[in-house]
Amino acid sequence: VGAYARLETVEGQLEPNPEIFNLKGVLLSRLQRSNEAIEAYKACLALNPKQLEVLVNLGKSLLNVNRLDEGIEAYRKAAKLAPGNYAVSLRLAVALSSAGDKMDAIKVLDAAMKRHPDNPRLLVERAIPLSDAMSAYLRGLSVRMSQTPPLGGARDTVASTQ
């Protein structure tokens, strides 16, 4: 709390500064004052809208107060700024999954895996079932695989009963 009080004193003596707003947001987040942190991050982004760290922090704070749609939007903006950043992709995928958008979460993870095929964290995250959507995705893949002729052998044909 002492660091936050000192920051507020300094903030009052300076011109609006995005770094001060970001630091204020971080301190407020640590104090579990998410709504105030959100306002600080938004003030920072109003001065400099292309700050990856601030967008990620804003997304996290928004999710902490169950503002999923806004949190997802913050993570989407962050992902657009840094499309190769797998950590941002993971956060976006988790937020999408939490909001019930399992298929978009899978798409985000698949795209991240294409950019970082050897990243073990992505492989683990992708392997974790994403509820019914993941099961449906795997069932669809299984159906497509069963319709593919076997490798190296005679082609088996399946008679259609339709």
Side-chain angles (χ1 to χ4, degrees):
V1 176
Y4 179 74
R6 283 193 290 262
L7 180 62
E8 280 195 314
T9 301
V10 170
E11 179 186 16
Q13 300 169 359
L14 301 172
E15 293 294 318
N17 180 320
E19 293 305 317
I20 295 290
F21 286 122
N22 183 41
L23 182 56
K24 186 176 180 180
V26 170
L27 290 172
L28 288 164
S29 290
R30 289 185 183 163
L31 295 170
Q32 297 179 344
R33 293 165 55 184
S34 294
N35 285 315
E36 293 171 84
I38 290 166
E39 295 310 313
Y41 293 135
K42 285 183 175 182
C44 178
L45 291 168
L47 296 172
N48 186 354
K50 294 188 177 188
Q51 290 195 20
L52 180 65
E53 175 188 354
V54 178
L55 285 165
V56 170
N57 289 341
L58 174 61
K60 183 178 176 185
S61 291
L62 287 162
L63 293 180
N64 284 342
V65 294
N66 293 317
R67 291 165 60 181
L68 293 177
D69 290 341
E70 292 173 85
I72 289 169
E73 183 60 28
Y75 285 147
R76 284 193 194 279
K77 288 179 181 177
K80 195 172 188 178
L81 277 178
N85 187 317
Y86 79 89
V88 172
S89 295
L90 285 175
R91 287 184 180 271
L92 175 57
V94 168
L96 287 165
S97 181
S98 296
D101 198 346
K102 311 295 186 191
M103 292 310 290
D104 268 355
I106 291 168
K107 288 177 188 174
V108 167
L109 289 171
D110 283 347
M113 285 178 59
K114 286 178 184 170
R115 287 189 298 272
H116 304 280
D118 297 326
N119 186 306
R121 179 139 185 227
L122 285 172
L123 294 172
V124 169
E125 290 292 334
R126 182 60 176 89
I128 296 172
L130 291 175
S131 187
D132 297 334
M134 179 58 108
S135 296
Y137 177 79
L138 292 174
R139 279 193 305 273
L141 182 62
S142 175
V143 167
R144 286 192 302 272
M145 296 285 289
S146 69
Q147 294 170 349
T148 304
L151 294 175
R155 272 189 88 144
D156 292 332
T157 57
V158 177
S160 174
T161 58
Q162 297 176 338

